[in-house]
Amino acid sequence: MHEFATPEGEVRRFEEAGGPRTVVAGDRVVVRYPQGRPDQATAIPPSDQGKALFGTGCALAFLTVFVLGALGFMGLYLTVFKPAADTVEKVEKKVTHGGDGGAGGHGSPAPMRPPTGFPTDEPAGFPADLPTGFPSDFPSGFPSGFPTDFPRPPADWPTTVPGPQDLPKRLTGGEPRPVPGQPER
């Protein structure tokens, strides 16, 4: 419920739906109405009216597209899928009941059915000497030999692992050795 006073001093009241939900009784709001027409007053800001119309338009557009899609699918079903299903039914009836509706037919073969029971014999050509049980000839322990067919390293490879005595003295805390190609400091 909104209450306002016109410039002439007349007090007016009106109820309005769709306003901001944050407005509670006792809050001050701006009331707008055309000049000389306080009976058409509103407390909804102009930009909110545009948003409300836009939201309503979007909802109507979505519903229109949804209804048109449903009608299109229904039309597709009635023109394509339903006649195809009817044709399949007629062919099935003709095959199962004999050519002309079950009057004996012209010797149509019966539909194939899956075999009953589980087969217990082996098929023809199946090997007869298959091993049975769990294998028992697994190797135990580590292999006894080391492969010897590795290629030999190049002749210029070092044969020993470098130790701390082979490092430059500057890395071990001793006197620095000059680096080739750089001036001494």
Side-chain angles (χ1 to χ4, degrees), residues 87-127:
T87 303
V88 169
E89 256 182 45
K90 288 177 187 174
V91 169
E92 282 179 350
K93 190 180 281 188
K94 188 180 268 189
V95 167
T96 55
H97 297 299
D100 41 8
H106 47 347
S108 302
M112 294 188 65
R113 299 188 191 288
T116 57
F118 192 76
T120 56
D121 54 341
E122 289 127 3
F126 196 75

PDB file of all heavy atoms in Angstrom, residues 87-127:
ATOM      1  N   THR A  87       3.537 -50.432 -40.671  1.00  0.00           N
ATOM      2  CA  THR A  87       4.063 -51.315 -41.708  1.00  0.00           C
ATOM      3  C   THR A  87       4.809 -52.484 -41.082  1.00  0.00           C
ATOM      4  O   THR A  87       4.653 -53.631 -41.502  1.00  0.00           O
ATOM      5  CB  THR A  87       5.010 -50.530 -42.641  1.00  0.00           C
ATOM      6  OG1 THR A  87       4.294 -49.427 -43.176  1.00  0.00           O
ATOM      7  CG2 THR A  87       5.526 -51.399 -43.763  1.00  0.00           C
ATOM      8  N   VAL A  88       5.604 -52.233 -40.070  1.00  0.00           N
ATOM      9  CA  VAL A  88       6.328 -53.306 -39.396  1.00  0.00           C
ATOM     10  C   VAL A  88       5.356 -54.272 -38.741  1.00  0.00           C
ATOM     11  O   VAL A  88       5.534 -55.487 -38.799  1.00  0.00           O
ATOM     12  CB  VAL A  88       7.316 -52.714 -38.350  1.00  0.00           C
ATOM     13  CG1 VAL A  88       7.884 -53.786 -37.440  1.00  0.00           C
ATOM     14  CG2 VAL A  88       8.430 -51.965 -39.041  1.00  0.00           C
ATOM     15  N   GLU A  89       4.292 -53.759 -38.133  1.00  0.00           N
ATOM     16  CA  GLU A  89       3.281 -54.629 -37.522  1.00  0.00           C
ATOM     17  C   GLU A  89       2.644 -55.535 -38.561  1.00  0.00           C
ATOM     18  O   GLU A  89       2.443 -56.723 -38.325  1.00  0.00           O
ATOM     19  CB  GLU A  89       2.200 -53.772 -36.862  1.00  0.00           C
ATOM     20  CG  GLU A  89       2.301 -53.701 -35.378  1.00  0.00           C
ATOM     21  CD  GLU A  89       1.172 -52.882 -34.783  1.00  0.00           C
ATOM     22  OE1 GLU A  89       0.002 -53.056 -35.186  1.00  0.00           O
ATOM     23  OE2 GLU A  89       1.478 -52.050 -33.921  1.00  0.00           O
ATOM     24  N   LYS A  90       2.310 -54.978 -39.730  1.00  0.00           N
ATOM     25  CA  LYS A  90       1.692 -55.782 -40.790  1.00  0.00           C
ATOM     26  C   LYS A  90       2.634 -56.872 -41.265  1.00  0.00           C
ATOM     27  O   LYS A  90       2.215 -58.012 -41.477  1.00  0.00           O
ATOM     28  CB  LYS A  90       1.298 -54.882 -41.958  1.00  0.00           C
ATOM     29  CG  LYS A  90       0.119 -53.990 -41.681  1.00  0.00           C
ATOM     30  CD  LYS A  90      -0.164 -53.088 -42.868  1.00  0.00           C
ATOM     31  CE  LYS A  90      -1.231 -52.069 -42.533  1.00  0.00           C
ATOM     32  NZ  LYS A  90      -1.431 -51.104 -43.609  1.00  0.00           N
ATOM     33  N   VAL A  91       3.917 -56.553 -41.417  1.00  0.00           N
ATOM     34  CA  VAL A  91       4.885 -57.552 -41.876  1.00  0.00           C
ATOM     35  C   VAL A  91       5.062 -58.627 -40.818  1.00  0.00           C
ATOM     36  O   VAL A  91       5.101 -59.820 -41.146  1.00  0.00           O
ATOM     37  CB  VAL A  91       6.238 -56.865 -42.214  1.00  0.00           C
ATOM     38  CG1 VAL A  91       7.331 -57.887 -42.427  1.00  0.00           C
ATOM     39  CG2 VAL A  91       6.086 -55.988 -43.437  1.00  0.00           C
ATOM     40  N   GLU A  92       5.132 -58.255 -39.540  1.00  0.00           N
ATOM     41  CA  GLU A  92       5.263 -59.248 -38.480  1.00  0.00           C
ATOM     42  C   GLU A  92       4.050 -60.172 -38.448  1.00  0.00           C
ATOM     43  O   GLU A  92       4.176 -61.380 -38.289  1.00  0.00           O
ATOM     44  CB  GLU A  92       5.424 -58.569 -37.131  1.00  0.00           C
ATOM     45  CG  GLU A  92       6.802 -58.029 -36.867  1.00  0.00           C
ATOM     46  CD  GLU A  92       6.906 -57.348 -35.517  1.00  0.00           C
ATOM     47  OE1 GLU A  92       5.860 -57.124 -34.876  1.00  0.00           O
ATOM     48  OE2 GLU A  92       8.034 -57.034 -35.117  1.00  0.00           O
ATOM     49  N   LYS A  93       2.866 -59.611 -38.588  1.00  0.00           N
ATOM     50  CA  LYS A  93       1.640 -60.412 -38.575  1.00  0.00           C
ATOM     51  C   LYS A  93       1.632 -61.383 -39.745  1.00  0.00           C
ATOM     52  O   LYS A  93       1.264 -62.540 -39.608  1.00  0.00           O
ATOM     53  CB  LYS A  93       0.415 -59.496 -38.629  1.00  0.00           C
ATOM     54  CG  LYS A  93      -0.883 -60.219 -38.367  1.00  0.00           C
ATOM     55  CD  LYS A  93      -2.052 -59.291 -38.433  1.00  0.00           C
ATOM     56  CE  LYS A  93      -2.138 -58.524 -37.126  1.00  0.00           C
ATOM     57  NZ  LYS A  93      -3.374 -57.726 -37.052  1.00  0.00           N
ATOM     58  N   LYS A  94       2.101 -60.915 -40.900  1.00  0.00           N
ATOM     59  CA  LYS A  94       2.114 -61.752 -42.095  1.00  0.00           C
ATOM     60  C   LYS A  94       3.103 -62.901 -41.924  1.00  0.00           C
ATOM     61  O   LYS A  94       2.830 -64.031 -42.303  1.00  0.00           O
ATOM     62  CB  LYS A  94       2.494 -60.914 -43.317  1.00  0.00           C
ATOM     63  CG  LYS A  94       2.356 -61.651 -44.630  1.00  0.00           C
ATOM     64  CD  LYS A  94       2.744 -60.762 -45.780  1.00  0.00           C
ATOM     65  CE  LYS A  94       1.522 -60.063 -46.301  1.00  0.00           C
ATOM     66  NZ  LYS A  94       1.767 -59.330 -47.545  1.00  0.00           N
ATOM     67  N   VAL A  95       4.267 -62.629 -41.298  1.00  0.00           N
ATOM     68  CA  VAL A  95       5.286 -63.664 -41.134  1.00  0.00           C
ATOM     69  C   VAL A  95       4.861 -64.679 -40.089  1.00  0.00           C
ATOM     70  O   VAL A  95       5.005 -65.874 -40.280  1.00  0.00           O
ATOM     71  CB  VAL A  95       6.643 -63.021 -40.751  1.00  0.00           C
ATOM     72  CG1 VAL A  95       7.631 -64.061 -40.273  1.00  0.00           C
ATOM     73  CG2 VAL A  95       7.212 -62.272 -41.931  1.00  0.00           C
ATOM     74  N   THR A  96       4.315 -64.238 -38.967  1.00  0.00           N
ATOM     75  CA  THR A  96       3.986 -65.175 -37.885  1.00  0.00           C
ATOM     76  C   THR A  96       2.703 -65.950 -38.119  1.00  0.00           C
ATOM     77  O   THR A  96       2.580 -67.089 -37.690  1.00  0.00           O
ATOM     78  CB  THR A  96       3.868 -64.438 -36.542  1.00  0.00           C
ATOM     79  OG1 THR A  96       2.922 -63.394 -36.661  1.00  0.00           O
ATOM     80  CG2 THR A  96       5.202 -63.884 -36.120  1.00  0.00           C
ATOM     81  N   HIS A  97       1.721 -65.380 -38.807  1.00  0.00           N
ATOM     82  CA  HIS A  97       0.429 -66.062 -38.988  1.00  0.00           C
ATOM     83  C   HIS A  97       0.255 -66.629 -40.376  1.00  0.00           C
ATOM     84  O   HIS A  97      -0.807 -67.135 -40.696  1.00  0.00           O
ATOM     85  CB  HIS A  97      -0.723 -65.088 -38.703  1.00  0.00           C
ATOM     86  CG  HIS A  97      -0.730 -64.605 -37.288  1.00  0.00           C
ATOM     87  ND1 HIS A  97      -0.863 -65.454 -36.217  1.00  0.00           N
ATOM     88  CD2 HIS A  97      -0.601 -63.362 -36.767  1.00  0.00           C
ATOM     89  CE1 HIS A  97      -0.833 -64.748 -35.100  1.00  0.00           C
ATOM     90  NE2 HIS A  97      -0.665 -63.478 -35.409  1.00  0.00           N
ATOM     91  N   GLY A  98       1.243 -66.537 -41.190  1.00  0.00           N
ATOM     92  CA  GLY A  98       1.109 -67.069 -42.542  1.00  0.00           C
ATOM     93  C   GLY A  98       0.529 -66.023 -43.459  1.00  0.00           C
ATOM     94  O   GLY A  98      -0.253 -65.184 -43.064  1.00  0.00           O
ATOM     95  N   GLY A  99       0.889 -66.046 -44.677  1.00  0.00           N
ATOM     96  CA  GLY A  99       0.620 -65.061 -45.711  1.00  0.00           C
ATOM     97  C   GLY A  99      -0.605 -64.200 -45.592  1.00  0.00           C
ATOM     98  O   GLY A  99      -0.535 -62.993 -45.594  1.00  0.00           O
ATOM     99  N   ASP A 100      -1.789 -64.781 -45.490  1.00  0.00           N
ATOM    100  CA  ASP A 100      -2.983 -63.928 -45.532  1.00  0.00           C
ATOM    101  C   ASP A 100      -3.769 -64.016 -44.239  1.00  0.00           C
ATOM    102  O   ASP A 100      -4.885 -64.498 -44.220  1.00  0.00           O
ATOM    103  CB  ASP A 100      -3.848 -64.285 -46.741  1.00  0.00           C
ATOM    104  CG  ASP A 100      -3.957 -65.763 -46.998  1.00  0.00           C
ATOM    105  OD1 ASP A 100      -3.488 -66.563 -46.157  1.00  0.00           O
ATOM    106  OD2 ASP A 100      -4.488 -66.121 -48.017  1.00  0.00           O
ATOM    107  N   GLY A 101      -3.187 -63.561 -43.173  1.00  0.00           N
ATOM    108  CA  GLY A 101      -3.932 -63.417 -41.925  1.00  0.00           C
ATOM    109  C   GLY A 101      -4.121 -64.690 -41.152  1.00  0.00           C
ATOM    110  O   GLY A 101      -5.046 -64.799 -40.378  1.00  0.00           O
ATOM    111  N   GLY A 102      -3.330 -65.740 -41.356  1.00  0.00           N
ATOM    112  CA  GLY A 102      -3.421 -66.939 -40.518  1.00  0.00           C
ATOM    113  C   GLY A 102      -4.208 -68.065 -41.131  1.00  0.00           C
ATOM    114  O   GLY A 102      -4.552 -69.007 -40.459  1.00  0.00           O
ATOM    115  N   ALA A 103      -4.481 -68.051 -42.405  1.00  0.00           N
ATOM    116  CA  ALA A 103      -5.269 -69.107 -43.041  1.00  0.00           C
ATOM    117  C   ALA A 103      -4.409 -70.257 -43.510  1.00  0.00           C
ATOM    118  O   ALA A 103      -4.793 -71.003 -44.384  1.00  0.00           O
ATOM    119  CB  ALA A 103      -6.045 -68.524 -44.222  1.00  0.00           C
ATOM    120  N   GLY A 104      -3.250 -70.412 -42.980  1.00  0.00           N
ATOM    121  CA  GLY A 104      -2.411 -71.535 -43.399  1.00  0.00           C
ATOM    122  C   GLY A 104      -1.138 -71.051 -44.039  1.00  0.00           C
ATOM    123  O   GLY A 104      -0.084 -71.602 -43.822  1.00  0.00           O
ATOM    124  N   GLY A 105      -1.213 -70.045 -44.843  1.00  0.00           N
ATOM    125  CA  GLY A 105      -0.041 -69.423 -45.440  1.00  0.00           C
ATOM    126  C   GLY A 105       0.600 -70.259 -46.519  1.00  0.00           C
ATOM    127  O   GLY A 105       0.066 -71.269 -46.973  1.00  0.00           O
ATOM    128  N   HIS A 106       1.739 -69.838 -46.916  1.00  0.00           N
ATOM    129  CA  HIS A 106       2.456 -70.503 -48.000  1.00  0.00           C
ATOM    130  C   HIS A 106       3.816 -71.003 -47.528  1.00  0.00           C
ATOM    131  O   HIS A 106       4.815 -70.896 -48.219  1.00  0.00           O
ATOM    132  CB  HIS A 106       2.580 -69.592 -49.203  1.00  0.00           C
ATOM    133  CG  HIS A 106       3.045 -68.185 -48.881  1.00  0.00           C
ATOM    134  ND1 HIS A 106       3.100 -67.665 -47.620  1.00  0.00           N
ATOM    135  CD2 HIS A 106       3.478 -67.206 -49.685  1.00  0.00           C
ATOM    136  CE1 HIS A 106       3.536 -66.434 -47.652  1.00  0.00           C
ATOM    137  NE2 HIS A 106       3.777 -66.126 -48.901  1.00  0.00           N
ATOM    138  N   GLY A 107       3.861 -71.512 -46.300  1.00  0.00           N
ATOM    139  CA  GLY A 107       5.065 -72.144 -45.799  1.00  0.00           C
ATOM    140  C   GLY A 107       6.149 -71.175 -45.355  1.00  0.00           C
ATOM    141  O   GLY A 107       7.316 -71.441 -45.589  1.00  0.00           O
ATOM    142  N   SER A 108       5.775 -70.094 -44.751  1.00  0.00           N
ATOM    143  CA  SER A 108       6.779 -69.159 -44.239  1.00  0.00           C
ATOM    144  C   SER A 108       7.530 -69.815 -43.095  1.00  0.00           C
ATOM    145  O   SER A 108       6.929 -70.515 -42.280  1.00  0.00           O
ATOM    146  CB  SER A 108       6.118 -67.882 -43.719  1.00  0.00           C
ATOM    147  OG  SER A 108       5.381 -67.276 -44.733  1.00  0.00           O
ATOM    148  N   PRO A 109       8.853 -69.595 -43.029  1.00  0.00           N
ATOM    149  CA  PRO A 109       9.589 -70.200 -41.911  1.00  0.00           C
ATOM    150  C   PRO A 109       9.218 -69.548 -40.587  1.00  0.00           C
ATOM    151  O   PRO A 109       8.896 -68.374 -40.538  1.00  0.00           O
ATOM    152  CB  PRO A 109      11.052 -69.941 -42.266  1.00  0.00           C
ATOM    153  CG  PRO A 109      11.018 -68.751 -43.168  1.00  0.00           C
ATOM    154  CD  PRO A 109       9.706 -68.824 -43.900  1.00  0.00           C
ATOM    155  N   ALA A 110       9.246 -70.326 -39.555  1.00  0.00           N
ATOM    156  CA  ALA A 110       8.939 -69.805 -38.219  1.00  0.00           C
ATOM    157  C   ALA A 110      10.078 -68.900 -37.772  1.00  0.00           C
ATOM    158  O   ALA A 110      11.222 -69.090 -38.184  1.00  0.00           O
ATOM    159  CB  ALA A 110       8.762 -70.963 -37.243  1.00  0.00           C
ATOM    160  N   PRO A 111       9.766 -67.928 -36.954  1.00  0.00           N
ATOM    161  CA  PRO A 111      10.839 -67.046 -36.488  1.00  0.00           C
ATOM    162  C   PRO A 111      11.858 -67.833 -35.661  1.00  0.00           C
ATOM    163  O   PRO A 111      11.509 -68.778 -34.961  1.00  0.00           O
ATOM    164  CB  PRO A 111      10.126 -65.998 -35.646  1.00  0.00           C
ATOM    165  CG  PRO A 111       8.775 -66.535 -35.374  1.00  0.00           C
ATOM    166  CD  PRO A 111       8.482 -67.554 -36.425  1.00  0.00           C
ATOM    167  N   MET A 112      13.121 -67.451 -35.771  1.00  0.00           N
ATOM    168  CA  MET A 112      14.188 -68.149 -35.044  1.00  0.00           C
ATOM    169  C   MET A 112      14.100 -67.823 -33.565  1.00  0.00           C
ATOM    170  O   MET A 112      13.812 -66.701 -33.186  1.00  0.00           O
ATOM    171  CB  MET A 112      15.545 -67.744 -35.601  1.00  0.00           C
ATOM    172  CG  MET A 112      15.756 -68.202 -37.018  1.00  0.00           C
ATOM    173  SD  MET A 112      17.420 -67.928 -37.604  1.00  0.00           S
ATOM    174  CE  MET A 112      18.337 -68.985 -36.561  1.00  0.00           C
ATOM    175  N   ARG A 113      14.363 -68.830 -32.746  1.00  0.00           N
ATOM    176  CA  ARG A 113      14.354 -68.651 -31.305  1.00  0.00           C
ATOM    177  C   ARG A 113      15.735 -69.019 -30.763  1.00  0.00           C
ATOM    178  O   ARG A 113      16.422 -69.861 -31.331  1.00  0.00           O
ATOM    179  CB  ARG A 113      13.297 -69.542 -30.670  1.00  0.00           C
ATOM    180  CG  ARG A 113      11.894 -69.232 -31.155  1.00  0.00           C
ATOM    181  CD  ARG A 113      10.889 -70.034 -30.320  1.00  0.00           C
ATOM    182  NE  ARG A 113       9.552 -69.994 -30.862  1.00  0.00           N
ATOM    183  CZ  ARG A 113       8.747 -68.942 -30.831  1.00  0.00           C
ATOM    184  NH1 ARG A 113       9.159 -67.830 -30.296  1.00  0.00           N
ATOM    185  NH2 ARG A 113       7.540 -68.989 -31.327  1.00  0.00           N
ATOM    186  N   PRO A 114      16.128 -68.421 -29.639  1.00  0.00           N
ATOM    187  CA  PRO A 114      17.428 -68.789 -29.075  1.00  0.00           C
ATOM    188  C   PRO A 114      17.391 -70.224 -28.559  1.00  0.00           C
ATOM    189  O   PRO A 114      16.338 -70.727 -28.176  1.00  0.00           O
ATOM    190  CB  PRO A 114      17.620 -67.789 -27.938  1.00  0.00           C
ATOM    191  CG  PRO A 114      16.270 -67.303 -27.611  1.00  0.00           C
ATOM    192  CD  PRO A 114      15.471 -67.385 -28.880  1.00  0.00           C
ATOM    193  N   PRO A 115      18.534 -70.900 -28.558  1.00  0.00           N
ATOM    194  CA  PRO A 115      18.550 -72.292 -28.081  1.00  0.00           C
ATOM    195  C   PRO A 115      18.266 -72.346 -26.586  1.00  0.00           C
ATOM    196  O   PRO A 115      18.574 -71.429 -25.843  1.00  0.00           O
ATOM    197  CB  PRO A 115      19.972 -72.764 -28.387  1.00  0.00           C
ATOM    198  CG  PRO A 115      20.782 -71.514 -28.472  1.00  0.00           C
ATOM    199  CD  PRO A 115      19.856 -70.444 -28.964  1.00  0.00           C
ATOM    200  N   THR A 116      17.685 -73.444 -26.169  1.00  0.00           N
ATOM    201  CA  THR A 116      17.402 -73.624 -24.748  1.00  0.00           C
ATOM    202  C   THR A 116      18.510 -74.470 -24.151  1.00  0.00           C
ATOM    203  O   THR A 116      19.039 -75.380 -24.784  1.00  0.00           O
ATOM    204  CB  THR A 116      16.044 -74.325 -24.539  1.00  0.00           C
ATOM    205  OG1 THR A 116      16.078 -75.567 -25.224  1.00  0.00           O
ATOM    206  CG2 THR A 116      14.910 -73.472 -25.071  1.00  0.00           C
ATOM    207  N   GLY A 117      18.877 -74.188 -22.932  1.00  0.00           N
ATOM    208  CA  GLY A 117      19.934 -74.946 -22.261  1.00  0.00           C
ATOM    209  C   GLY A 117      21.308 -74.408 -22.607  1.00  0.00           C
ATOM    210  O   GLY A 117      21.497 -73.668 -23.564  1.00  0.00           O
ATOM    211  N   PHE A 118      22.281 -74.840 -21.828  1.00  0.00           N
ATOM    212  CA  PHE A 118      23.663 -74.401 -22.009  1.00  0.00           C
ATOM    213  C   PHE A 118      24.424 -75.509 -22.722  1.00  0.00           C
ATOM    214  O   PHE A 118      24.296 -76.686 -22.355  1.00  0.00           O
ATOM    215  CB  PHE A 118      24.274 -74.107 -20.632  1.00  0.00           C
ATOM    216  CG  PHE A 118      25.579 -73.381 -20.701  1.00  0.00           C
ATOM    217  CD1 PHE A 118      25.616 -72.032 -20.992  1.00  0.00           C
ATOM    218  CD2 PHE A 118      26.765 -74.047 -20.500  1.00  0.00           C
ATOM    219  CE1 PHE A 118      26.812 -71.363 -21.063  1.00  0.00           C
ATOM    220  CE2 PHE A 118      27.962 -73.392 -20.566  1.00  0.00           C
ATOM    221  CZ  PHE A 118      27.998 -72.037 -20.849  1.00  0.00           C
ATOM    222  N   PRO A 119      25.232 -75.195 -23.744  1.00  0.00           N
ATOM    223  CA  PRO A 119      25.951 -76.272 -24.453  1.00  0.00           C
ATOM    224  C   PRO A 119      27.004 -76.902 -23.535  1.00  0.00           C
ATOM    225  O   PRO A 119      27.705 -76.226 -22.802  1.00  0.00           O
ATOM    226  CB  PRO A 119      26.605 -75.547 -25.627  1.00  0.00           C
ATOM    227  CG  PRO A 119      26.635 -74.116 -25.253  1.00  0.00           C
ATOM    228  CD  PRO A 119      25.495 -73.892 -24.319  1.00  0.00           C
ATOM    229  N   THR A 120      27.110 -78.234 -23.600  1.00  0.00           N
ATOM    230  CA  THR A 120      28.062 -78.944 -22.747  1.00  0.00           C
ATOM    231  C   THR A 120      29.180 -79.593 -23.545  1.00  0.00           C
ATOM    232  O   THR A 120      30.188 -79.985 -22.973  1.00  0.00           O
ATOM    233  CB  THR A 120      27.338 -80.026 -21.934  1.00  0.00           C
ATOM    234  OG1 THR A 120      26.656 -80.894 -22.824  1.00  0.00           O
ATOM    235  CG2 THR A 120      26.346 -79.395 -20.965  1.00  0.00           C
ATOM    236  N   ASP A 121      29.035 -79.736 -24.819  1.00  0.00           N
ATOM    237  CA  ASP A 121      30.085 -80.367 -25.611  1.00  0.00           C
ATOM    238  C   ASP A 121      30.933 -79.312 -26.310  1.00  0.00           C
ATOM    239  O   ASP A 121      30.528 -78.170 -26.467  1.00  0.00           O
ATOM    240  CB  ASP A 121      29.473 -81.330 -26.640  1.00  0.00           C
ATOM    241  CG  ASP A 121      28.418 -80.649 -27.499  1.00  0.00           C
ATOM    242  OD1 ASP A 121      27.922 -79.585 -27.080  1.00  0.00           O
ATOM    243  OD2 ASP A 121      28.126 -81.157 -28.600  1.00  0.00           O
ATOM    244  N   GLU A 122      32.180 -79.701 -26.706  1.00  0.00           N
ATOM    245  CA  GLU A 122      33.074 -78.781 -27.382  1.00  0.00           C
ATOM    246  C   GLU A 122      32.712 -78.694 -28.864  1.00  0.00           C
ATOM    247  O   GLU A 122      32.259 -79.670 -29.451  1.00  0.00           O
ATOM    248  CB  GLU A 122      34.521 -79.252 -27.231  1.00  0.00           C
ATOM    249  CG  GLU A 122      35.030 -79.081 -25.820  1.00  0.00           C
ATOM    250  CD  GLU A 122      35.605 -80.370 -25.275  1.00  0.00           C
ATOM    251  OE1 GLU A 122      35.659 -81.355 -26.015  1.00  0.00           O
ATOM    252  OE2 GLU A 122      35.959 -80.381 -24.109  1.00  0.00           O
ATOM    253  N   PRO A 123      32.959 -77.556 -29.464  1.00  0.00           N
ATOM    254  CA  PRO A 123      32.679 -77.449 -30.893  1.00  0.00           C
ATOM    255  C   PRO A 123      33.683 -78.278 -31.697  1.00  0.00           C
ATOM    256  O   PRO A 123      34.749 -78.639 -31.208  1.00  0.00           O
ATOM    257  CB  PRO A 123      32.841 -75.947 -31.170  1.00  0.00           C
ATOM    258  CG  PRO A 123      33.611 -75.396 -30.036  1.00  0.00           C
ATOM    259  CD  PRO A 123      33.388 -76.307 -28.878  1.00  0.00           C
ATOM    260  N   ALA A 124      33.326 -78.524 -32.943  1.00  0.00           N
ATOM    261  CA  ALA A 124      34.190 -79.324 -33.816  1.00  0.00           C
ATOM    262  C   ALA A 124      35.495 -78.580 -34.051  1.00  0.00           C
ATOM    263  O   ALA A 124      35.512 -77.370 -34.242  1.00  0.00           O
ATOM    264  CB  ALA A 124      33.484 -79.595 -35.141  1.00  0.00           C
ATOM    265  N   GLY A 125      36.630 -79.309 -34.022  1.00  0.00           N
ATOM    266  CA  GLY A 125      37.927 -78.708 -34.258  1.00  0.00           C
ATOM    267  C   GLY A 125      38.546 -78.094 -33.019  1.00  0.00           C
ATOM    268  O   GLY A 125      39.592 -77.469 -33.092  1.00  0.00           O
ATOM    269  N   PHE A 126      37.945 -78.279 -31.870  1.00  0.00           N
ATOM    270  CA  PHE A 126      38.463 -77.721 -30.618  1.00  0.00           C
ATOM    271  C   PHE A 126      39.642 -78.566 -30.164  1.00  0.00           C
ATOM    272  O   PHE A 126      39.571 -79.802 -30.186  1.00  0.00           O
ATOM    273  CB  PHE A 126      37.348 -77.735 -29.561  1.00  0.00           C
ATOM    274  CG  PHE A 126      37.613 -76.859 -28.382  1.00  0.00           C
ATOM    275  CD1 PHE A 126      37.482 -75.492 -28.476  1.00  0.00           C
ATOM    276  CD2 PHE A 126      38.004 -77.408 -27.171  1.00  0.00           C
ATOM    277  CE1 PHE A 126      37.712 -74.680 -27.388  1.00  0.00           C
ATOM    278  CE2 PHE A 126      38.247 -76.603 -26.080  1.00  0.00           C
ATOM    279  CZ  PHE A 126      38.099 -75.237 -26.191  1.00  0.00           C
ATOM    280  N   PRO A 127      40.790 -77.962 -29.758  1.00  0.00           N
ATOM    281  CA  PRO A 127      41.945 -78.790 -29.356  1.00  0.00           C
ATOM    282  C   PRO A 127      41.629 -79.621 -28.114  1.00  0.00           C
ATOM    283  O   PRO A 127      41.014 -79.151 -27.175  1.00  0.00           O
ATOM    284  CB  PRO A 127      43.045 -77.773 -29.078  1.00  0.00           C
ATOM    285  CG  PRO A 127      42.379 -76.453 -28.986  1.00  0.00           C
ATOM    286  CD  PRO A 127      41.074 -76.544 -29.686  1.00  0.00           C
TER     287      PRO A 127
END
